[in-house]
Amino acid sequence: MTEPHTEAVFVDTLNNIASGVTDLVGFEVAAISVARDDDRSLEMIAVAGSDECREQLLGHRTPVAEIEREISTAEHWGDLRFVPHERMDLDIDRLGWVPDLEPTDDPEMWHPLDLLLAPIYDDEGRLRGLLSVDVPLDRRRPNPQKRQDLQRFVQQTRRAILAALERSELAEQVRLADAARMIVREVSSELSMDRIIEVCQEALTVGFKAVGMWIQTFDEDGEGSGAIYNSAGAEIALPEDLRIIARNSARMLWRTQDVTVLNDTIPELGVMTVDQEQEITSFMKTIDVTSMLFVPLGAGPECLGNLVLTRRGGNLDWSPIEKQAAMDIGHDLGRALINARTFERERRLVDELRELDGYKSRLIATISHELKNPLTSILGHVEMLESVPDLTGSVRNSISSMERGAVRMQRLIDDLLVLARVGDPHIEFKPVPVDLSAVIAEVLDLLRVTLERKELKVIVEAPQGPLFVLGEESGLDRVCANLISNAAKYTPDGGTVTISLETRAKDVELRVSDTGLGISEGDQAQLFQEFFRSTNPAAVALPGTGLGLTIVQRIVERHRGRISFGSTLGVGTTFTVSLPRAD
């Protein structure tokens, strides 16, 4: 605690802890003392509650040996140590403050000389601090429930006290930890090595008081000399044989989880010759550095590269804290490298899939166009044949069958063309505000004859006025038309179709429900697959291409929306679509 700012932050933190104890647990006084290594004493630096107590106790010091002696005779209440007044050996004058309470003979009542302490030990078992409480608000010695409440609070505050001690005593470690946290927070989400270097170089060079840095990454198979990135963004002219030495050294150090320092002497790593050591020394002179901290980077058992931090001038030493922090950062940067490598692979895979998807869409569109022209000719000639007066009944039946088949093929081709368009990632998406209420009204008007013929009851639940979503009107029209026409198709005569619109914080939710056939559990998993038709005989008997819901799903995804459904066989189905609102 050599810096005034660090000391002030430390004391403020402990005062907040002490205030929390008095507020939450029910004691008039809470005090925190901290071990001072210079004279092996506990100095009272935070007191909450009584102003009189604060004035008398702040700065008061008690030898650690005396506190440990009192603790040795105390009753153990979990993490707490209770020293009843009759066992206390400490001189009253050494206490610093005694509450103004009238002693009683009742063993359940709090005595002014009772001590209730929570010693704070570090990982090595050293007494580093003491949380003391005095004068319960009910003036009674804490019962088991109150002890439990206090102990839970002590357990929560112990970490805060030790962390505050570590922050105040190890200012250098705080500085390096901040650099490490910055790297973890910012670099782990970066998608390229250039961005990783750009984001982390300032934190590393400032945190380690370095003049520069570079990172060497290895090939994905672990071989090769790898790429070099430095803090200026340009490639370091590191000789090829030194790159290989660096790779082998990094692997060895990663296995032992260690770092090494290179300055006027080269450490014995067992991976280089005398000539190579001289080459390293010469290289350091060339780039004008006098000391380098060499850190392996990796994740799990795999070594992925190395980090080099450089210094010049007389500052050759790297402290044990700096070395440990650098090793921790080696793990953090290793995970960042794994992420960057994974993102790069995923990006290439996505590009390949997009290209394949685009090719498939273009292929479907080309074939559909080629089929559409002769099919139009077939339908034209069928119309001409139907106008011939002297045809027998069997011939007319054949012509009607031809027409139905051609119309079915035309419907399939139209759906294929739509599917190709909405599935092509190369077609630009140009969303505009679209009134979804108006789209639904138009769809219902187009389906009015079908709905009336089946005597379906249509219920529309929507807010008054327009309801705008962000999208393409043609695509949203197709979504509404397919969902509502499906509901009408699979609902028996006299059933009900319910269409509801509801606004959310960022979305508009469209629900289309019916009282129709429903979908079996076996069919639900394949519902959005291309060309899938229900296994329900009643559904199979109705015309369809098996592309309608696939088209709906593709359009919804193209609009950055979501689609889901729920269905019970023989009861009905509800489709729910969420689309981005247009403010």
Side-chain angles (χ1 to χ4, degrees):
M1 291 178 287
T2 57
E3 299 181 11
H5 174 70
T6 302
E7 173 80 9
V9 172
F10 176 62
V11 173
D12 187 56
T13 299
L14 296 187
N15 273 313
N16 289 335
I17 293 171
S19 298
V21 173
T22 58
D23 293 341
L24 297 178
V25 183
F27 285 85
E28 289 187 4
V29 175
I32 298 176
S33 52
V34 177
R36 300 299 193 183
D37 291 333
D38 52 357
D39 60 357
R40 290 290 294 161
S41 67
L42 287 168
E43 180 186 359
M44 195 72 68
I45 63 172
V47 180
S50 168
D51 293 336
E52 176 189 357
C53 176
R54 183 181 299 108
E55 292 177 1
Q56 295 186 29
L57 284 183
L58 280 181
H60 181 79
R61 293 194 179 213
T62 306
V64 170
E66 292 185 8
I67 295 297
E68 289 178 335
R69 186 169 60 250
E70 292 297 327
I71 291 175
S72 67
T73 64
E75 297 180 16
H76 285 228
W77 293 351
D79 293 327
L80 302 170
R81 302 293 182 268
F82 176 63
V83 183
H85 67 279
E86 59 269 16
R87 294 189 196 174
M88 192 182 68
D89 293 331
L90 193 64
D91 186 10
I92 294 178
D93 294 334
R94 307 288 289 175
L95 291 175
W97 177 80
V98 177
D100 186 15
L101 290 179
E102 188 68 30
T104 70
D105 294 331
D106 187 348
E108 298 299 322
M109 299 302 292
W110 185 263
H111 191 279
L113 296 181
D114 285 345
L115 294 179
L116 185 54
L117 315 169
I120 306 300
Y121 297 100
D122 62 16
D123 293 338
E124 298 176 2
R126 295 179 300 167
L127 182 64
R128 304 305 308 275
L130 196 67
L131 171 63
S132 309
V133 294
D134 208 345
V135 191
L137 294 180
D138 59 5
R139 302 297 191 268
R140 302 182 67 83
R141 290 180 176 178
N143 58 30
Q145 180 59 51
K146 194 166 186 178
R147 297 177 204 170
Q148 186 176 356
D149 294 340
L150 180 59
Q151 181 163 302
R152 282 199 296 266
F153 192 84
V154 171
Q155 290 170 350
Q156 293 172 3
T157 58
R158 172 179 284 108
R159 289 188 296 270
I161 294 173
L162 290 178
L165 280 167
E166 291 172 359
R167 285 196 299 271
S168 63
E169 295 174 352
L170 302 174
E172 184 180 27
Q173 189 170 11
V174 169
R175 175 170 51 81
L176 297 176
D178 286 342
R181 281 193 292 271
M182 183 180 297
I183 291 169
V184 175
R185 184 172 60 250
E186 298 185 21
V187 174
S188 60
S189 61
E190 296 300 334
L191 308 184
S192 70
M193 273 304 305
D194 289 330
R195 275 293 295 157
I196 289 174
I197 297 297
E198 179 184 347
V199 171
C200 75
Q201 68 91 202
E202 182 177 1
L204 286 173
T205 53
V206 172
F208 286 87
K209 297 180 180 177
V211 296
M213 58 159 282
W214 70 79
I215 289 178
Q216 176 184 5
T217 61
F218 304 153
D219 300 337
E220 291 197 22
D221 59 1
E223 299 300 327
S225 57
I228 301 289
Y229 305 84
N230 79 349
S231 54
E235 188 169 342
I236 291 285
L238 188 66
E240 182 67 21
D241 56 343
L242 292 188
R243 294 192 186 201
I244 296 174
I245 291 172
R247 183 196 69 198
N248 295 336
S249 300
R251 283 178 171 176
M252 188 201 71
L253 289 170
W254 184 255
R255 284 195 298 269
T256 59
Q257 289 295 288
D258 199 3
V259 302
T260 192
V261 175
L262 297 88
N263 41 47
D264 52 353
T265 60
I266 306 299
E268 292 290 339
L269 296 177
V271 293
M272 65 186 79
T273 64
V274 173
D275 290 341
Q276 290 170 335
E277 292 176 5
Q278 293 176 350
E279 188 173 358
I280 293 175
T281 303
S282 175
F283 173 72
M284 291 174 63
K285 292 180 180 178
T286 301
I287 62 176
D288 190 25
V289 300
T290 51
S291 182
M292 297 193 304
L293 180 63
F294 186 87
V295 185
L297 311 179
E302 184 179 6
C303 183
L304 302 168
N306 59 72
L307 162 70
V308 178
L309 295 162
T310 61
R311 286 177 178 171
R312 67 168 60 100
N315 186 16
L316 302 181
D317 293 333
W318 303 82
S319 70
I321 293 174
E322 288 175 318
K323 293 178 183 178
Q324 181 57 52
M327 192 67 241
D328 293 339
I329 289 172
H331 287 266
D332 299 330
L333 280 174
R335 287 190 290 269
L337 289 176
I338 283 285
N339 290 340
R341 184 184 290 179
T342 301
F343 284 141
E344 178 60 26
R345 283 199 297 262
E346 290 179 350
R347 187 191 63 77
R348 291 197 302 265
L349 180 60
V350 167
D351 288 344
E352 292 173 2
L353 291 175
R354 284 170 58 88
E355 186 60 35
L356 182 61
D357 207 23
Y359 172 76
K360 183 184 74 172
S361 297
R362 292 191 295 273
L363 179 62
I364 292 174
T366 300
I367 294 175
S368 299
H369 278 296
E370 292 299 321
L371 291 174
K372 196 174 184 68
N373 292 331
L375 189 59
T376 301
S377 176
I378 291 173
L379 284 171
H381 284 83
V382 166
E383 283 188 36
M384 293 174 57
L385 288 173
E386 286 179 333
S387 64
V388 175
D390 301 327
L391 295 178
T392 63
S394 60
V395 172
R396 289 191 179 278
N397 289 337
S398 296
I399 293 174
S400 296
S401 297
M402 291 168 58
E403 183 177 24
R404 288 194 301 272
V407 168
R408 184 176 179 182
M409 287 181 64
Q410 189 175 48
R411 189 162 52 241
L412 176 60
I413 290 171
D414 289 340
D415 282 349
L416 284 171
L417 287 171
V418 173
L419 183 65
R421 185 180 185 283
V422 300
D424 191 345
H426 298 92
I427 296 179
E428 186 178 1
F429 179 61
K430 298 180 180 179
V432 297
V434 177
D435 183 4
L436 199 58
S437 297
V439 172
I440 291 173
E442 291 178 6
V443 170
L444 289 175
D445 187 56
L446 290 173
L447 295 175
R448 179 166 49 83
V449 175
T450 300
L451 297 170
E452 290 177 352
R453 185 177 66 250
K454 297 188 68 173
E455 298 181 348
L456 297 177
K457 180 181 179 182
V458 178
I459 301 173
V460 179
E461 301 171 343
Q464 292 294 326
L467 196 59
F468 289 98
V469 297
L470 203 61
E472 295 175 332
E473 186 169 2
S474 60
L476 296 175
D477 180 80
R478 172 72 69 161
V479 168
C480 296
N482 279 13
L483 292 179
I484 296 173
S485 63
N486 275 359
K489 180 194 301 185
Y490 296 112
T491 300
D493 295 357
T496 301
V497 175
T498 303
I499 305 160
S500 64
L501 287 173
E502 186 175 350
T503 58
R504 304 286 186 183
K506 296 182 180 180
D507 300 327
V508 172
E509 188 174 273
L510 164 66
R511 285 192 301 275
V512 179
S513 303
D514 62 57
T515 57
L517 302 176
I519 307 167
S520 68
E521 292 186 7
D523 288 347
Q524 290 181 16
Q526 308 175 68
L527 199 58
F528 294 109
Q529 289 184 8
E530 299 170 3
F531 302 106
F532 174 74
R533 297 297 311 279
S534 172
T535 57
N536 187 338
V540 174
L542 299 172
T545 63
L547 292 174
L549 288 177
T550 305
I551 291 172
V552 168
Q553 185 189 45
R554 298 278 178 87
I555 295 175
V556 170
E557 290 175 349
R558 182 177 172 85
H559 282 69
R560 305 294 188 269
R562 303 180 304 277
I563 182 170
S564 59
F565 68 92
S567 184
T568 302
L569 191 62
V571 177
T573 302
T574 297
F575 282 91
T576 302
V577 174
S578 296
L579 297 166
R581 286 180 60 181
D583 295 329

